[in-house]
Amino acid sequence: MTERPTRLYLPDDVPAAPLPGTTTVDAVIESLGVGAFQIRLLLICGLTFAADAMEVLLMGFALPGVNATFGLPPGALGATMLLSATFAGMLVGAPFWGRQADVYGRRPVFLITVLAGVIFGLVGAMAPNIGVLVAARILAGFAIGGTMAVDYALMAEFVPRRVRGRFLVLTEGFWAIGTVMIAALAYLIGQLLPPQEGWRMLVLIAALPGVVGLLVRTGVPDSPRWLLSRGRVAEAHAALIRVAQLNGQDPHLLALTPPRRVPARPPRWAALLSPQLRDRTLLLALAWFGMSLGYYGIFSWLPTYLRTQGVDLPEAYRVTMILALAQIPGYLLSSLLVEWVGRRATLVGFMLASAAGAYLFMLSSEPAWTLLASGLLSFSLLGTWGALYAFAAEVFPTTLRATGMGTVSAAARLGSLISPVAGGLLLSGNLGQALTVFAASFILSAGCVWATGLEPRGQAVPEGEHG
């Protein structure tokens, strides 16, 4: 693959030189540094991301109880639809809400998607039949798709460039916390209630962290970068003053340099396929698709696969918790490497390690080696996801950032929808075939990331317009 020269700005994206007595948003963000505001934003976005992890992985743990309640045999169409329902909703929700965030602002979408996720999560807990449950999970996924795209756009636009990659990876690191929480809840509820009752309690509790997330999000201002791109200079200035106050800095800021021009609407979605953005959009979409196919193909079916190997349900949940804990050092190492060696090299390294982990899993025959191989997979896959979210959030211009994140996220959801089919090979005894598919998808993703030729480390996030 031919390496392209590194270039992030579009021809008309370079901000105008500051007028006398004015400054740019990027200059202000850099001068205010990292403080209480960014730490608070990390915790708020991280909490929502943990809640999203619980919702996305929920049905893998609830499925045995759902099958028992509605009389579904393992592998039945209803069960397969249930595992895919959340991903189907996210497939539509990610690009839809990403576009809304670029048109109407990060903050309103930030709040609406969390509220909708809570509502449909609660509906699912009370579902009288499998049809209602599948519909509720599709709608919950529709909302979750938006939160995951918008959170990263907002985080990228508030953090100074020297630590931006680290903060973006750490935001994704809360996924491990959500994974541990849902596995622990499934284990504890399984000890207290029969499966027919326990799954409803699990679905109900999994929706509650979103309520906390909604409450704490109300104090987060909209992105000053987005506000300025829409010509709302006074609101952008007020948002930066809020950051300065929380960081203990002088709130008396210079006036912001107004944009050269303010289009009636942000660029259309088709601008992602313009000559300047087409390669990164398509290559990143392929990378997200490949990683999602392999990740969910393995981990959505892992509890069920362990049961087919003679592991009882509580023990399977304990193994899942151990594997979730293995994700944490993966995130931490990724958060360091993205700043030390760069985003692209970190991504390729973790992706190739994931492919190696898939084959180690296939070759392992003893339980201890199987657990070790699974731990390596968990470590490398989640380190990859942390860097991949950071990379994608940094390479699209402000006016298309959430749209771009939603688009590549939709490609990941497409991989998630296909993954139950590939993952089902694990249950049919075709372990080698399944893991070969997953390893190949990780290698393909590594090639796509390298082919972008982009390296956002140390650069300002792209601003401006694209028409």
Side-chain angles (χ1 to χ4, degrees), residues 418-463:
I418 297 173
S419 66
V421 178
L425 294 172
L426 294 173
L427 304 184
S428 63
N430 296 311
L431 184 63
Q433 294 179 26
L435 293 174
T436 297
V437 170
F438 301 148
S441 70
F442 300 148
I443 294 171
L444 171 66
S445 297
C448 288
V449 168
W450 193 258
T452 64
L454 301 175
E455 179 48 67
R457 180 178 59 157
Q459 298 191 41
V461 291
E463 301 286 357

Side-chain angles (χ1 to χ4, degrees), residues 221-299:
D222 214 330
S223 163
R225 296 181 190 274
W226 179 84
L227 289 167
L228 194 63
S229 76
R230 304 305 304 144
R232 294 158 64 173
V233 180
E235 293 174 72
H237 193 267
L240 290 170
I241 288 178
R242 174 69 172 157
V243 177
Q245 290 171 335
L246 285 176
N247 283 4
Q249 302 287 338
D250 183 1
H252 298 90
L253 306 173
L254 290 174
L256 294 173
T257 304
R260 289 172 176 162
R261 61 186 179 89
V262 179
R265 289 176 65 84
R268 296 182 180 276
W269 180 90
L272 290 174
L273 299 179
S274 66
Q276 294 92 339
L277 291 177
R278 180 180 58 238
D279 286 356
R280 75 187 66 177
T281 301
L282 296 178
L283 288 169
L284 282 178
L286 283 172
W288 281 60
F289 172 85
M291 290 306 304
S292 187
L293 175 66
Y295 173 75
Y296 288 107
I298 294 172
F299 285 103

Side-chain angles (χ1 to χ4, degrees), residues 150-465:
V150 175
D151 280 17
Y152 269 82
L154 196 65
M155 180 65 72
E157 292 166 357
F158 268 117
V159 179
R161 69 185 70 172
R162 64 182 177 83
V163 292
R164 187 178 62 232
R166 187 164 300 162
F167 268 69
L168 289 168
V169 174
L170 291 176
T171 300
E172 222 279 340
F174 280 81
W175 186 273
I177 296 175
T179 305
V180 172
M181 289 175 63
I182 193 64
L185 280 170
Y187 174 74
L188 292 174
I189 291 173
Q191 299 300 303
L192 300 173
L193 296 172
Q196 294 90 333
E197 300 175 17
W199 75 267
R200 292 188 186 275
M201 181 61 66
L202 183 64
V203 174
L204 175 66
I205 295 176
L208 297 182
V211 178
V212 180
L214 180 65
L215 294 175
V216 296
R217 281 172 175 241
T218 55
V220 177
D222 214 330
S223 163
R225 296 181 190 274
W226 179 84
L227 289 167
L228 194 63
S229 76
R230 304 305 304 144
R232 294 158 64 173
V233 180
E235 293 174 72
H237 193 267
L240 290 170
I241 288 178
R242 174 69 172 157
V243 177
Q245 290 171 335
L246 285 176
N247 283 4
Q249 302 287 338
D250 183 1
H252 298 90
L253 306 173
L254 290 174
L256 294 173
T257 304
R260 289 172 176 162
R261 61 186 179 89
V262 179
R265 289 176 65 84
R268 296 182 180 276
W269 180 90
L272 290 174
L273 299 179
S274 66
Q276 294 92 339
L277 291 177
R278 180 180 58 238
D279 286 356
R280 75 187 66 177
T281 301
L282 296 178
L283 288 169
L284 282 178
L286 283 172
W288 281 60
F289 172 85
M291 290 306 304
S292 187
L293 175 66
Y295 173 75
Y296 288 107
I298 294 172
F299 285 103
S300 289
W301 286 97
L302 188 59
T304 306
Y305 172 73
L306 292 173
R307 292 192 71 191
T308 66
Q309 303 303 303
V311 178
D312 62 24
L313 198 57
E315 180 63 24
Y317 291 165
R318 285 195 294 271
V319 170
T320 303
M321 282 188 278
I322 293 172
L323 296 182
L325 291 173
Q327 298 173 7
I328 296 174
Y331 283 124
L332 293 177
L333 179 60
S334 181
S335 72
L336 297 173
L337 291 178
V338 292
E339 302 296 358
W340 291 349
V341 303
R343 281 47 158 172
R344 197 164 56 135
T346 300
L347 272 171
V348 171
F350 271 103
M351 288 170 171
L352 295 180
S354 299
Y359 274 107
L360 283 177
F361 187 94
M362 180 175 62
L363 296 173
S364 59
S365 56
E366 298 295 326
W369 284 106
T370 299
L371 182 60
L372 181 62
S374 302
L376 174 60
L377 264 174
S378 191
F379 170 90
S380 56
L381 282 171
L382 277 300
T384 300
W385 277 118
L388 193 57
Y389 269 92
F391 188 84
E394 294 176 303
V395 299
F396 292 107
T398 296
T399 50
L400 282 165
R401 183 162 296 120
T403 303
M405 285 292 296
T407 299
V408 297
S409 183
R413 296 324 119 201
L414 185 59
S416 306
L417 283 170
I418 297 173
S419 66
V421 178
L425 294 172
L426 294 173
L427 304 184
S428 63
N430 296 311
L431 184 63
Q433 294 179 26
L435 293 174
T436 297
V437 170
F438 301 148
S441 70
F442 300 148
I443 294 171
L444 171 66
S445 297
C448 288
V449 168
W450 193 258
T452 64
L454 301 175
E455 179 48 67
R457 180 178 59 157
Q459 298 191 41
V461 291
E463 301 286 357
E465 304 160 7

